[in-house]
Amino acid sequence: MSCRPPRTPAHRVRRAELAATAYAQVAERGLEGLRVREVAAEAGINHATLIYYFPTKANLVAGVVDHVLGLLVAPAVTPAPQPDQAVMHRLAHELEDIAARLERQPQIFRVLTELQLRGARDAEVGRALARMDDAWTRFLVGMLRSGIDSGELRSDLDADRAAGLLRAVFRGIGLAALRRDDQKPRDLVDEASKMLASWLAARSDR
Amino acid sequence: MSCRPPRTPAHRVRRAELAATAYAQVAERGLEGLRVREVAAEAGINHATLIYYFPTKANLVAGVVDHVLGLLVAPAVTPAPQPDQAVMHRLAHELEDIAARLERQPQIFRVLTELQLRGARDAEVGRALARMDDAWTRFLVGMLRSGIDSGELRSDLDADRAAGLLRAVFRGIGLAALRRDDQKPRDLVDEASKMLASWLAARSDR
Amino acid sequence: MSCRPPRTPAHRVRRAELAATAYAQVAERGLEGLRVREVAAEAGINHATLIYYFPTKANLVAGVVDHVLGLLVAPAVTPAPQPDQAVMHRLAHELEDIAARLERQPQIFRVLTELQLRGARDAEVGRALARMDDAWTRFLVGMLRSGIDSGELRSDLDADRAAGLLRAVFRGIGLAALRRDDQKPRDLVDEASKMLASWLAARSDR
Amino acid sequence: MSCRPPRTPAHRVRRAELAATAYAQVAERGLEGLRVREVAAEAGINHATLIYYFPTKANLVAGVVDHVLGLLVAPAVTPAPQPDQAVMHRLAHELEDIAARLERQPQIFRVLTELQLRGARDAEVGRALARMDDAWTRFLVGMLRSGIDSGELRSDLDADRAAGLLRAVFRGIGLAALRRDDQKPRDLVDEASKMLASWLAARSDR
DNA sequence: TATGAATGAGCTTTCATTCAT
DNA sequence: TATGAATGAAAGCTCATTCAT
């Protein structure tokens, strides 16, 4: 409280490392099971030292939020297609990205859900997630609009409403990570790809 | 612990009431914020009395699970269509049901998500949810199969995979309740209805 | 509090039975582990019914005291020798009695020790035990005096001091029940018999 | 639980002090009346601080056990006689030691009895007491053997059985502390000294 | 920077006891 | 007599946070 820690690069790096450790704990035990002492022990430092970097537990949770958002915007497994490519191709890439995450780091969806639930009661978490959601929505709307304009997508599509549904579909697929014995994420994504194509694509055969 | 209370009808009713109170608390403050004393206070009884009905907190959470499952199988807002009706009609009814819940009791999706997260770490909760999920899956698969057999749905549909995606879509729509300022649930559901139709329905025009 | 239960014979019998049940619980789990509900459950009645017979837990403990004292004065395994028999013979009988109890119902010494510890802090229990102890002391002193008078015991014996030591020896032997893997009670008693003889008996060989 | 406190000398000292406080509480109110909060209050610290040193109540009880054993092996009031002195003299010293404790710190016998009772149900406590008892037995047996070999004690003595009875006698004398209005411990010990002499000593006059 | 020690608010659970029926 | 329901006073324990060094 007296002297806030400096924002040197080394400090930032350390904070990021500790936030990653906290993220791992949340993935394992849930936000409810997050313990300051446990995170510090996992990081091999004294709990008071952790508090030096994150003065309150809320700060630590904010660090976890940052970490998750960082993971989400991180370079996907496959290189992102250019904006000038076909919309259906770009959507397929998004689905591919989700499938890859579901296979390699399913915890991210779990932690994200934990944070969304908390966001409803914690204004700071809520705002951060809302920002991310808005950015995602804008991205989807833009993509859909360009597809509609180019004639690749159905002309009677409402970009805003369609983006809302797209988000719901993606979210729903991500939530499959919460079931243990679910079917292969790959199958789910392949089927979703067909569904979206039949829904969005302009009917060239008419 | 020594002498368990009897299972008289009155006792069951009381337990159900208290579970409902606990459910409301979870909806408001999350599973993490569930407090035995708070639930008792809300119900206007001593906390020890609550423990008389639910000897442990885990029991109380199990009561919340039962309550949620009860809500989910409760008679939907509109009368359920008969199994001999068109599949698309029945699917539309499912969507309608979700929309109605999203408008009238959105907490149910919030609590359900809380329970799913806990289910990953709490075997008892996990089992109960898995049972529900399995029943839902069987229901969807059966519906899709009958549609495929009758020629109403695309003949090349894989009922199991399609049911998996359907579940994901429904789940994703339900999760819209976690966002505060989302678009109208009705719009989301209407759009989803179109999407599912274009995906599942046999192309009579070909 | 309003109406104390009647003292009918049936009532007394029931109280005695319940006290015996409580005694068994104390033997098993200690005075600290005595639970009103547990005793009631063991007796197959509602805990409130037990409270009807023993309005407070202290009453129940008093009942256990009575039960233990009853066991102690109960007809010993072998018929008690007449007061006109040799003192050493009567002492040997006392030792035999302890040995028999150590073999058949060692719990009695355990419970007795529990009660003695409590008696230091609970006036009611303390008084009851003190009465018993006094009676025992008087018995021993009388026996020793008659032996001294008759010339069977050493003439220079101080009956009061000797009785005190006798009590200590008996108590110490009884406490052997608190050790699990102790030597055979029989050996202990036999050895004690020799020790007391060499200490108390008049030296006829001098 | 996560990060156990270090075992620095200062820490050990503090633990010992707190264990002594707990010991005093047990002496005053019994093991049953031992309260973590009460001990902390008596020590002038917050109860959570006490838990910092003794993470569980069982740990605290173990600390009390250690404290008692430490008191028992502590340098007796009078300097311990050398092993080459007469056995009867050494036995007399043991009795003297008990008498001194009975007069100066009678609580030790009370607490010891509490612990013995608990040891029957608490494996950890039981083991610690068994170790002490074994050591004591070995000490007595060794002493008796040397006396028998040197001709100071009766040649027909069975060292093991005699040690068992000796232990019982000592224990019984120690238990005199549980009675409030008992005779002087000194008288008891003097009488016991005579008794043991007549029992153990070789009859030089025969 | 880093740490061990210390703290207070609050949690679930236990249990003897009371009471209306 | 007998019972199920209800209660309040604790109890042990957890944990984020503070602080002196």
Side-chain angles (χ1 to χ4, degrees):
Chain A
M1 187 181 289
S2 55
C3 56
R4 76 173 66 174
R7 290 300 186 156
T8 66
H11 191 263
R12 285 172 185 272
V13 167
R14 193 72 190 276
R15 268 177 64 98
E17 288 170 0
L18 294 173
T21 306
Y23 163 81
Q25 285 283 321
V26 174
E28 194 176 340
R29 310 183 187 187
L31 218 31
E32 183 179 0
L34 181 66
R35 297 287 177 266
V36 169
R37 279 184 142 86
E38 208 70 32
V39 172
E42 195 73 22
I45 61 175
N46 186 282
H47 74 276
T49 305
L50 177 61
I51 290 205
Y52 172 79
Y53 287 99
F54 294 97
T56 71
K57 193 180 181 181
N59 278 319
L60 184 59
V61 171
V64 172
V65 173
D66 289 344
H67 183 77
V68 168
L69 300 191
L71 287 180
L72 286 177
V73 303
V77 269
T78 58
Q82 295 304 314
D84 56 357
Q85 289 198 270
V87 168
M88 287 313 298
H89 183 243
R90 292 166 66 194
L91 270 179
H93 175 266
E94 289 296 314
L95 282 168
E96 175 61 25
D97 190 80
I98 290 180
R101 290 191 201 274
L102 276 174
E103 284 171 347
R104 302 186 193 180
Q105 42 181 348
Q107 326 93 312
I108 196 172
F109 297 102
R110 189 177 299 269
V111 175
L112 197 51
T113 309
E114 295 266 5
L115 292 174
Q116 273 167 337
L117 285 171
R118 169 153 302 192
R121 270 167 250 110
D122 179 325
E124 193 181 350
V125 172
R127 273 194 301 273
L129 292 180
R131 273 196 299 273
M132 179 202 70
D133 233 24
D134 289 345
W136 193 27
T137 299
R138 279 193 301 274
F139 167 73
L140 290 177
V141 167
M143 192 161 62
L144 290 172
R145 286 231 173 89
S146 76
I148 295 168
D149 292 345
S150 72
E152 183 187 350
L153 302 189
R154 282 168 40 209
S155 58
D156 60 337
L157 212 59
D158 179 320
D160 288 320
R161 294 177 58 172
L165 182 53
L166 260 185
R167 263 179 21 223
V169 170
F170 288 161
R171 220 165 5 204
I173 292 174
L175 238 62
L178 296 190
R179 287 207 55 184
R180 293 202 179 283
D181 51 351
D182 219 344
Q183 63 188 140
K184 294 278 180 62
R186 183 66 52 185
D187 291 346
L188 197 57
V189 160
D190 286 347
E191 200 70 35
S193 201
K194 291 183 202 164
M195 179 179 72
L196 295 185
S198 73
W199 170 45
L200 297 173
R203 300 282 169 76
S204 57
D205 55 326
R206 290 201 195 178
Chain B
M1 189 180 288
S2 53
C3 64
R4 69 185 68 176
R7 292 300 189 153
T8 65
H11 193 264
R12 285 171 185 273
V13 167
R14 192 73 192 274
R15 266 177 67 99
E17 288 170 1
L18 294 173
T21 307
Y23 163 81
Q25 286 281 321
V26 173
E28 193 177 340
R29 310 183 186 187
L31 219 31
E32 183 180 359
L34 182 65
R35 296 287 174 267
V36 168
R37 277 190 143 84
E38 209 69 33
V39 173
E42 195 72 22
I45 60 175
N46 186 284
H47 76 275
T49 305
L50 178 59
I51 291 206
Y52 174 75
Y53 287 97
F54 295 96
T56 72
K57 194 181 180 181
N59 277 317
L60 185 59
V61 171
V64 172
V65 173
D66 288 345
H67 183 77
V68 168
L69 299 191
L71 286 180
L72 285 177
V73 303
V77 268
T78 59
Q82 296 303 315
D84 55 356
Q85 290 199 271
V87 170
M88 288 312 300
H89 184 242
R90 291 166 67 193
L91 270 179
H93 175 265
E94 289 297 313
L95 283 167
E96 175 60 26
D97 190 81
I98 291 180
R101 290 191 203 272
L102 278 173
E103 283 169 348
R104 304 187 192 176
Q105 42 181 350
Q107 327 93 312
I108 197 173
F109 297 102
R110 186 176 302 270
V111 174
L112 197 51
T113 309
E114 295 266 6
L115 291 174
Q116 272 166 338
L117 285 172
R118 168 152 302 192
R121 270 167 246 107
D122 179 325
E124 193 181 350
V125 172
R127 272 194 300 272
L129 292 180
R131 273 196 298 273
M132 178 201 71
D133 234 24
D134 290 345
W136 194 27
T137 298
R138 280 194 300 273
F139 167 72
L140 290 176
V141 167
M143 192 161 62
L144 290 171
R145 286 232 173 90
S146 75
I148 294 168
D149 291 345
S150 73
E152 182 187 350
L153 303 188
R154 281 169 40 211
S155 57
D156 60 336
L157 212 58
D158 179 319
D160 289 319
R161 292 177 58 170
L165 181 54
L166 260 185
R167 263 180 21 222
V169 170
F170 288 161
R171 219 165 8 201
I173 293 174
L175 239 64
L178 297 190
R179 288 209 53 184
R180 292 203 178 286
D181 51 352
D182 219 347
Q183 62 188 143
K184 293 279 181 57
R186 182 66 53 185
D187 291 347
L188 197 57
V189 160
D190 287 347
E191 200 69 35
S193 202
K194 291 183 203 166
M195 178 178 72
L196 295 185
S198 72
W199 170 45
L200 297 173
R203 299 283 169 72
S204 56
D205 53 328
R206 290 199 194 176
Chain C
M1 188 181 289
S2 53
C3 55
R4 76 174 64 174
R7 292 299 187 158
T8 66
H11 192 262
R12 286 172 183 272
V13 167
R14 193 73 189 275
R15 267 178 65 98
E17 289 171 358
L18 294 173
T21 307
Y23 163 81
Q25 286 284 320
V26 173
E28 193 176 341
R29 311 185 185 184
L31 219 32
E32 183 179 0
L34 182 64
R35 299 285 175 267
V36 170
R37 281 185 141 85
E38 209 69 33
V39 173
E42 196 72 22
I45 62 174
N46 186 281
H47 72 277
T49 304
L50 176 61
I51 290 205
Y52 172 78
Y53 287 98
F54 295 96
T56 72
K57 194 180 181 180
N59 279 318
L60 184 58
V61 171
V64 172
V65 174
D66 289 343
H67 183 77
V68 168
L69 299 192
L71 287 179
L72 285 177
V73 303
V77 268
T78 57
Q82 295 306 313
D84 56 357
Q85 289 200 271
V87 168
M88 287 314 298
H89 184 243
R90 292 167 66 193
L91 269 180
H93 177 265
E94 289 296 314
L95 282 167
E96 176 61 26
D97 190 81
I98 291 180
R101 290 192 202 273
L102 276 174
E103 284 170 346
R104 304 187 192 178
Q105 42 180 350
Q107 326 94 310
I108 196 171
F109 298 102
R110 189 177 300 269
V111 175
L112 197 51
T113 309
E114 295 267 5
L115 291 174
Q116 273 166 336
L117 285 171
R118 168 152 302 192
R121 270 166 248 111
D122 180 323
E124 192 181 352
V125 172
R127 272 194 303 272
L129 292 179
R131 271 195 300 272
M132 179 200 70
D133 234 23
D134 290 346
W136 193 28
T137 299
R138 278 195 300 274
F139 168 73
L140 290 175
V141 168
M143 192 160 62
L144 290 170
R145 285 231 174 90
S146 75
I148 295 167
D149 291 347
S150 73
E152 183 188 350
L153 302 189
R154 282 169 39 211
S155 58
D156 60 336
L157 212 57
D158 179 321
D160 288 319
R161 291 177 59 170
L165 181 54
L166 260 186
R167 263 181 17 224
V169 171
F170 288 162
R171 224 172 354 211
I173 293 174
L175 239 62
L178 297 191
R179 285 207 58 184
R180 292 202 180 283
D181 51 352
D182 218 344
Q183 62 189 141
K184 294 276 181 62
R186 182 68 52 185
D187 291 347
L188 197 57
V189 160
D190 286 347
E191 199 69 36
S193 202
K194 293 183 201 164
M195 178 179 72
L196 295 185
S198 73
W199 169 47
L200 297 172
R203 300 282 169 78
S204 57
D205 53 325
R206 289 200 194 179
Chain D
M1 188 180 287
S2 54
C3 62
R4 68 184 70 175
R7 291 298 188 153
T8 66
H11 192 263
R12 284 171 185 274
V13 168
R14 192 72 193 275
R15 266 177 66 98
E17 288 171 359
L18 294 173
T21 307
Y23 163 81
Q25 284 282 322
V26 173
E28 193 176 340
R29 310 183 187 187
L31 219 33
E32 182 180 359
L34 181 64
R35 297 283 175 268
V36 169
R37 279 189 144 86
E38 210 67 33
V39 173
E42 196 71 24
I45 60 176
N46 185 284
H47 75 275
T49 304
L50 178 61
I51 291 207
Y52 174 75
Y53 288 98
F54 295 96
T56 71
K57 193 181 181 182
N59 277 314
L60 184 59
V61 172
V64 173
V65 173
D66 289 344
H67 184 77
V68 169
L69 298 192
L71 287 180
L72 285 177
V73 303
V77 266
T78 58
Q82 296 305 315
D84 57 355
Q85 289 200 272
V87 168
M88 288 314 297
H89 183 244
R90 291 167 67 195
L91 270 179
H93 175 265
E94 289 296 313
L95 282 167
E96 175 60 27
D97 190 82
I98 291 179
R101 291 192 202 272
L102 277 173
E103 283 170 347
R104 304 187 192 176
Q105 41 181 352
Q107 328 93 311
I108 196 172
F109 297 101
R110 187 176 301 269
V111 174
L112 199 50
T113 309
E114 294 267 6
L115 291 174
Q116 272 166 337
L117 284 172
R118 168 151 306 193
R121 271 168 244 109
D122 180 324
E124 193 181 350
V125 172
R127 273 193 301 272
L129 293 179
R131 273 195 298 273
M132 180 202 69
D133 233 23
D134 290 345
W136 193 29
T137 299
R138 280 193 300 273
F139 168 73
L140 290 176
V141 168
M143 192 160 63
L144 290 172
R145 285 231 174 90
S146 75
I148 295 167
D149 292 344
S150 73
E152 182 187 351
L153 301 189
R154 281 169 40 210
S155 58
D156 60 337
L157 211 58
D158 178 320
D160 289 318
R161 292 177 59 169
L165 182 54
L166 261 186
R167 262 179 24 222
V169 170
F170 288 162
R171 222 167 2 206
I173 293 175
L175 239 64
L178 297 190
R179 287 208 55 183
R180 291 203 180 285
D181 51 353
D182 218 345
Q183 63 187 139
K184 295 276 183 62
R186 182 67 52 186
D187 291 347
L188 197 57
V189 160
D190 287 346
E191 200 70 35
S193 201
K194 291 184 202 165
M195 178 179 72
L196 295 184
S198 73
W199 170 47
L200 296 172
R203 299 282 169 75
S204 56
D205 54 325
R206 287 199 195 180

